[in-house]
Amino acid sequence: MSAHCQLIGARPGFGNTVSHSHRRTSRRFDPNIQRKRYWLPSEGRYVRLTLSARAIKAIDAMGIESAVARIRARGGKV
């Protein structure tokens, strides 16, 4: 599960690389996954999350408490 976002659920997409001669070979579009550490004040500890760049921006907007609540509602472990 390395290329998987815990908050948004972004996973790799799959498609084809098409060459100049129009031959097709498989390829994979990976999301921009980062490991980030946040301070969780309600529990008095740090949590390390695997997030996409889009999810990091979402946490900046909504706050870490609501983001962790959303991850737990999806059944994820924090």
Side-chain angles (χ1 to χ4, degrees), residues 1-5 9-12 28 30-31 33 50:
M1 293 288 241
S2 60
H4 173 253
C5 175
R11 293 178 185 266
R28 186 171 137 149
D30 286 325
I33 297 293
T50 305

Side-chain angles (χ1 to χ4, degrees), residues 1 3-4 7-8 13-14 18-19 22 25 28 32-33 35 43 48 52-53 55-56 60-61 64 66 68 73-74 77:
M1 293 288 241
H4 173 253
L7 180 63
I8 294 175
F14 295 91
V18 182
S19 70
H22 218 63
T25 54
R28 186 171 137 149
N32 185 4
I33 297 293
R35 281 181 55 86
E43 296 181 15
R48 189 175 297 274
S52 63
I56 292 171
D60 289 343
I64 186 64
S66 60
V68 167
R74 292 177 58 148
K77 185 178 174 230

Side-chain angles (χ1 to χ4, degrees), residues 14-31:
F14 295 91
N16 291 311
T17 299
V18 182
S19 70
H20 179 70
S21 65
H22 218 63
R23 289 180 63 117
R24 291 159 191 255
T25 54
S26 288
R27 65 161 294 179
R28 186 171 137 149
F29 297 90
D30 286 325

Side-chain angles (χ1 to χ4, degrees), residues 47-61:
V47 292
R48 189 175 297 274
L49 301 174
T50 305
L51 302 167
S52 63
R54 195 174 102 207
I56 292 171
K57 292 175 189 174
I59 288 176
D60 289 343

